[in-house]
Amino acid sequence: PGLSYTWIFNNNTLDLQEDSRRFVSQATGNLYLAKVEPWDVGNYTCAVSSAEAQRRVWGPPTALTLRGDGVMGEYEPKIEVRFPEATYAAKGSSVRLECFALGK
């Protein structure tokens, strides 16, 4: 609880407010990219912050490269939904449900 996730791309913080292709889950910290483009190639680093601990920690950089052969992988695209059987919320509060399409 109280953790915040940020991704750094080539030493610059990713601003995802207006980005429809990239998303950071604040539940898991995962970075999701849809339709990878040549300009997405580079190094990605995750930074985790805790306001309570007043601390920020960076993970190791992970390089994203494009395959030269154009082969996207052996896995068929699929839809993966992980919702609990019931979701409870107080009246007037906000609820966020996540659903992702996965594929290579």
Side-chain angles (χ1 to χ4, degrees), residues 9-30:
F9 173 62
N10 292 335
N11 297 320
N12 295 305
T13 301
L14 281 175
D15 181 12
L16 303 177
Q17 297 300 324
E18 300 294 323
D19 194 326
S20 60
R21 292 187 318 109
R22 296 181 286 195
F23 169 76
V24 175
S25 170
Q26 290 302 313
T28 64
N30 292 344

Side-chain angles (χ1 to χ4, degrees), residues 3-6 8 45-50 53-60:
L3 297 179
S4 175
Y5 303 94
T6 305
I8 291 91
T45 304
C46 180
V48 182
S49 302
S50 169
Q54 298 181 351
R55 188 158 185 223
R56 188 174 197 186
V57 178
W58 289 265

Side-chain angles (χ1 to χ4, degrees), residues 3-100:
L3 297 179
S4 175
Y5 303 94
T6 305
W7 280 85
I8 291 91
F9 173 62
N10 292 335
N11 297 320
N12 295 305
T13 301
L14 281 175
D15 181 12
L16 303 177
Q17 297 300 324
E18 300 294 323
D19 194 326
S20 60
R21 292 187 318 109
R22 296 181 286 195
F23 169 76
V24 175
S25 170
Q26 290 302 313
T28 64
N30 292 344
L31 171 64
Y32 297 91
L33 284 88
K35 193 177 180 211
V36 174
E37 299 289 349
W39 52 84
D40 293 321
V41 168
N43 289 309
Y44 290 83
T45 304
C46 180
V48 182
S49 302
S50 169
E52 185 177 323
Q54 298 181 351
R55 188 158 185 223
R56 188 174 197 186
V57 178
W58 289 265
T62 300
L64 173 67
T65 57
L66 293 182
R67 291 180 64 139
D69 60 8
V71 176
M72 295 303 291
E74 302 173 8
Y75 304 103
E76 295 179 10
K78 65 179 177 176
I79 301 294
E80 202 169 277
V81 181
R82 294 184 203 152
F83 294 130
E85 287 215 12
T87 300
Y88 299 93
K91 183 178 178 180
S93 67
S94 297
V95 175
R96 183 166 87 190
L97 304 175
E98 297 178 349
C99 177
F100 298 98

